[in-house]
Amino acid sequence: MAQTRKHPELECARPVVLVGMMGAGKTTVGRRLAPRLGLPFFDADHEIEKASGMSVSDLFAAHGEQYFREGEARVIRRLLEGEPHVLATGGGAVTHPETRKLIKDRAVSIWIKADLDTILSRASKRNTRPLLQTDNPRKTLEALMEARKDFYAAADIHVESQNGPHSETVNAIIKALEARPDLLTAIKENAT
């Protein structure tokens, strides 16, 4: 069934990729953003779980983070080679050089940025976050945020997400895309 575009002026020729920390709201926002743009939605973690037959937590436990990131890069490559869509990435996806390049070359990237307290509150609601299985999740999140901030900051668009309704974040993304429709149509010359 074809999706009805609520914003036909936003003709998406490229995927829209949401990046940011775990708990920033990428999946929830992505599910709400996709129909507004008339695009399908994919969640990278869900696609990895389908491809591997294992949960993200089990993949981390059995094979480690590096193995997971390699598989994640393959899944994101496959998705970004397809038709335009909205993609929510895992929080650490941008730490992999190939994934960063794919997103930069083939997609519009949107950093969903949230403060530490918001992320900690949201992320702690699920015990399936392998990187937070530590004695001090707050300290772990602080370190991850610091290590990843430059990767996230390279995104085309930055949008704040706080503890309000996710619809506010979606509306902020729509507004930012309306201000920069060129991002949706331009395929970068160095795309592989």
Side-chain angles (χ1 to χ4, degrees), residues 120-185:
L120 186 59
S121 171
R122 290 176 182 169
S124 64
K125 290 177 184 173
R126 291 177 40 202
N127 65 355
T128 58
R129 310 278 187 176
L131 295 178
L132 292 186
Q133 304 307 310
T134 67
D135 292 335
N136 190 339
R138 174 178 278 280
K139 187 172 183 158
T140 300
L141 276 174
E142 285 175 335
L144 288 170
M145 289 174 76
E146 180 62 27
R148 296 173 179 175
K149 70 180 180 184
D150 291 340
F151 298 137
Y152 296 142
D156 298 310
I157 293 172
H158 301 185
V159 175
E160 294 287 331
S161 172
Q162 301 308 324
N163 259 339
H166 288 293
S167 59
E168 292 176 6
T169 306
V170 173
N171 290 337
I173 291 171
I174 294 292
K175 185 175 180 179
L177 289 172
E178 286 173 337
R180 292 289 316 275
D182 57 298
L183 291 173
L184 295 171
T185 57

Side-chain angles (χ1 to χ4, degrees), residues 36-58:
R36 299 268 309 263
L37 297 175
L39 297 174
F41 171 73
F42 295 97
D43 178 272
D45 284 349
H46 178 72
E47 294 298 311
I48 292 163
E49 290 175 344
K50 278 189 347 188
S52 69
M54 297 175 76
S55 72
V56 170
S57 294
D58 289 345

